[in-house]
Amino acid sequence: MVNGVARIVSFLFHPLLLATYLFGLFAFTLPQAFSPLKEDGHFKFVLLIFCVTFLLPALNIGLFKMLGYVKSVAMEDRRDRVVPFLFMSLLYCAITYLFYSRTRIGIHDNLLKFLIIIDVLVVVGAVVTLFYKVSVHSIGAWGIVGILLPLNKVVEDGTLFYPMLASIVIAGVVMTSRLQLNAHTPREVMIGSILGLVTGFGSIVLLF
């Protein structure tokens, strides 16, 4: 029963869903994050992000499994994660570059900055995985916390305060779930949490 709940939590808060959840939250609480997109295009953008940052990478992981690059889609072995993680890093960065080169979205626009922050989180996870089996669930969950913490300080109407608190609780639940499933050691979960928090927080401070 407990393991079943932990598996559901791990699926619902899969790292590949980071971008979708973040922009979905912004669509309701911080529409200026989509600048320069017009408001009527926000939810279409969230759907597009879901397709290119979750569905497409998930399909490719399945393909890697079929081709024998990974033993299972869960990728318990660190070595199984290297090729898929590097591929996903390239994919995320390529998507951001396409937004930059094929649209009017520039380097000073909020939308591109948030896309870059997500790319940095993905790249950090991939690079660390070359040497160590870090918890990417923790990187993703605490990455959102790291993004929302400084944003909450600058948003005057306080709309991000409760989402920020909820993100901290969710991050704790995600960490507990990964430990419950024995997917990671406490050290791997803790390192992932620190990397996510520092990367998310630091990226917001540097870019904004």
Side-chain angles (χ1 to χ4, degrees):
M1 178 65 178
V2 176
N3 282 356
V5 173
R7 290 189 183 93
I8 292 173
V9 170
S10 295
F11 175 77
L12 289 177
F13 298 102
H14 193 281
L16 292 178
L17 289 169
L18 165 67
T20 302
Y21 288 154
L22 185 63
F23 281 109
L25 173 64
F26 287 161
F28 290 101
T29 62
L30 195 66
Q32 55 265 44
F34 290 87
S35 175
L37 285 186
K38 295 181 179 179
E39 191 168 349
D40 58 0
H42 291 182
F43 287 103
K44 291 180 181 178
F45 180 80
V46 173
L47 180 60
L48 176 63
I49 285 294
F50 173 75
C51 291
V52 298
T53 64
F54 177 73
L55 289 183
L56 185 58
L59 288 173
N60 279 280
I61 290 174
L63 181 61
F64 283 129
K65 172 68 169 60
M66 290 176 58
L67 295 175
Y69 284 102
V70 298
K71 300 182 182 69
S72 72
V73 293
M75 294 181 286
E76 292 92 350
D77 192 321
R78 180 192 62 81
R79 289 170 294 185
D80 283 349
R81 299 180 171 205
V82 172
V83 173
F85 281 21
L86 290 176
F87 174 82
M88 282 185 278
S89 295
L90 290 174
L91 178 62
Y92 272 61
C93 291
I95 290 167
T96 300
Y97 177 75
L98 286 174
F99 274 112
Y100 173 71
S101 63
R102 301 297 176 89
T103 68
R104 296 180 179 178
I105 300 173
I107 191 64
H108 298 295
D109 293 321
N110 293 337
L111 183 62
L112 188 65
K113 290 179 181 179
F114 282 115
L115 288 174
I116 290 172
I117 291 170
I118 292 168
D119 292 345
V120 172
L121 284 166
V122 174
V123 170
V124 166
V127 171
V128 174
T129 299
L130 293 174
F131 312 99
Y132 186 73
K133 185 189 173 185
V134 71
S135 170
V136 290
H137 275 80
S138 297
I139 291 178
W142 282 98
I144 289 184
V145 175
I147 291 169
L148 294 183
L149 277 173
L151 286 180
N152 178 63
K153 287 282 188 179
V154 298
V155 177
E156 296 179 356
D157 59 5
T159 54
L160 287 178
F161 179 71
Y162 289 110
M164 180 196 68
L165 291 182
S167 70
I168 294 173
V169 173
I170 290 171
V173 172
V174 169
M175 293 172 67
T176 303
S177 297
R178 303 310 288 165
L179 292 173
Q180 173 64 33
L181 294 172
N182 291 318
H184 291 281
T185 65
R187 180 187 175 90
E188 292 166 352
V189 169
M190 185 57 64
I191 290 176
S193 302
I194 295 171
L195 282 173
L197 182 63
V198 171
T199 301
F201 192 98
S203 297
I204 289 288
V205 172
L206 287 174
L207 292 179
F208 289 89

